[in-house]
């Protein structure tokens, strides 16, 4: 059974890794358009702010039985003969498949009529590694725009953020949280132009970075006659309307829609790997949880829009013998840059936003992800316990404490990798797969490596052989 994956990003990388763990059904070929293998796209901000070189984002190579071909452009799919037509650095090629997986990702739309000047997206290593002008204009105040603007200020660049909404992250967080984010950006030195639409490049002295959202890359699927709405339409087993063709990642549109979040992408990749190895898996999207990479500002929001009346009724029917209570918990402390608003149903978080409350973010996110009721002392939960400050010190962590939740990598495993000669994000990722999920644990890995270097070897955690 020959499997071809079109696209070499995070979705494809996670898919083939999981497929190998479950047992490859035959040879697998990954065709990626970029000139290099998969990398941690979520850490592009670390390249922009100079804390990581581009090569540090490289993810571990493919498992045995998987061939990755880079610099490949796939032009067409012949569904009747099950053929893929592509151009490689060596010339044109035609490949036959038994199973085809579309992981073509998404693209940043460029405004019509824009020509001239240094205008680019922030989606690839090439985008972020190219030199920048002395002044940078970031267009778009969503998650990527805020992350990009703050990263560039950490690099010492003059930055202007242009956003059509009334405050950064409008549409994601409420006005109070948005005002705190705006104040934080201004204190960093970012010039904000809110309620304003970008008018086009002003000249060669500035770089324009478009952080205006993304649209699924569906041209290949559409040309092949597959059903496409916003994305490539797939069912709960990630199948298109051609049973031999599947779609995952940012290009896919599963039942109920797609959030575009990395947890969703990972769930799709793992579900499809299970399906193709004979499992009965069906996609169960994880609850939406967003934690932007904004060092110096702890920020998170959970859940989506308010429940409809039908959804509320279904939730009540799910627990017919319980009294289901509705509750809104709010903490507002703008002088200290702290704010929380949580919507609870039956003691469980259904939606919320938290700013400037690091311990609360960790505790609430965990309870939300595991669908557990919150403690009854809401104020203590939000303000945290100062006695827990040691938990942020890597040297104080226990051997079994999980450092990378995406891949369940513990301190003990990281310590074993350090003892084996790995040091830094890249080597630790290669040895343990830590940081290769959402990438949010990269700072913890750096801190833990530093702490382990300073710790006498006879007191370090014992290496665990997986």
């Amino acid at each position: 059974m020959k499997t071809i994956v079109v696209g070499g990003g995070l979705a494809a990388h996670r898919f083939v890794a999981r497929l190998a763990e479950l047992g490859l059904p035959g040879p697998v070929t990954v065709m990626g358009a970029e000139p290099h293998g998969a990398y941690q796209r979520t850490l592009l901000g670390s390249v922009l702010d100079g804390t990581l070189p581009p090569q540090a984002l490289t993810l571990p190579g493919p498992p045995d039985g998987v061939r990755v071909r880079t610099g490949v452009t796939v032009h067409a799919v012949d569904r009747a003969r099950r053929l893929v037509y592509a151009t490689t650095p060596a010339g044109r090629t035609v490949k036959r498949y038994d199973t085809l997986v579309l992981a073509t990702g998404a693209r940043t739309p460029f405004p019509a009529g824009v020509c001239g000047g240094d205008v680019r997206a922030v989606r690839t290593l090439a985008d972020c590694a190219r030199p920048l002008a002395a002044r940078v204009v970031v267009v778009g105040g969503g998650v990527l725009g805020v992350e990009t603007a703050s990263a560039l200020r950490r690099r010492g660049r003059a930055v202007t953020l242009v956003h059509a909404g009334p405050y950064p992250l409008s549409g994601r967080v409420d006005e109070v949280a948005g005002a705190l984010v705006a104040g934080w950006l201004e204190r960093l030195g970012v010039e904000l132009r809110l309620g304003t639409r970008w008018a086009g490049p002003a000249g060669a002295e500035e770089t324009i970075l478009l952080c205006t959202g993304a649209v699924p890359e569906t041209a290949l699927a559409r040309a092949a006659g597959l059903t496409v709405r916003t994305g490539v339409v797939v069912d709960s087993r990630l199948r298109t309307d051609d049973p031999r063709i599947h779609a995952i990642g940012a290009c896919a549109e599963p039942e109920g829609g797609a959030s575009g979040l990395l947890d969703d992408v990972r769930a799709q990749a793992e579900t499809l790997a299970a399906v193709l190895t004979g499992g009965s898996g069906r996609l169960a999207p994880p609850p939406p949880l967003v934690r932007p990479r904004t060092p110096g500002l702890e920020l998170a929001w959970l859940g989506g829009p308010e429940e409809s009346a039908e959804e509320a009724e279904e939730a009540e029917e799910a627990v017919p013998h319980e009294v289901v209570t509705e509750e809104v918990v709010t903490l507002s402390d703008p002088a200290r840059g702290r704010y929380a608003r949580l919507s609870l149903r039956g003691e469980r978080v259904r939606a919320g936003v938290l700013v400037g409350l690091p311990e609360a973010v960790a505790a609430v996110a965990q309870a939300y992800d595991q669908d557990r009721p919150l403690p009854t002392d809401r104020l203590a939960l939000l303000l945290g316990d100062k006695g827990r400050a040691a938990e942020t010190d890597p040297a104080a962590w226990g051997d079994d404490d999980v450092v990378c939740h995406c891949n369940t990598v513990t301190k003990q495993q990281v310590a074993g990798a350090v003892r084996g000669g790995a040091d830094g994000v890249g080597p630790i990722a290669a040895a343990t797969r830590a940081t290769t999920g959402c990438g949010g644990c990269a700072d913890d890995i750096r801190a833990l490596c530093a702490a382990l270097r300073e710790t006498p070897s006879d007191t370090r955690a014992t290496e665990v052989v997986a």
Side-chain angles (χ1 to χ4, degrees), residues 78-101:
D78 183 336
R79 292 167 52 192
R81 294 190 291 173
R82 302 204 300 277
L83 298 175
V84 168
Y85 297 84
T87 300
T88 75
R92 292 185 176 273
T93 185
V94 180
K95 294 290 184 181
R96 184 183 179 281
Y97 66 85
D98 294 299
T99 299
L100 179 64
V101 178

Side-chain angles (χ1 to χ4, degrees), residues 166-168 173-187 192:
Y167 51 84
V173 303
D174 60 29
E175 185 175 358
V176 179
L180 290 175
V181 175
W184 177 74
L185 286 169
E186 288 178 324
R187 287 190 295 276
L192 297 180

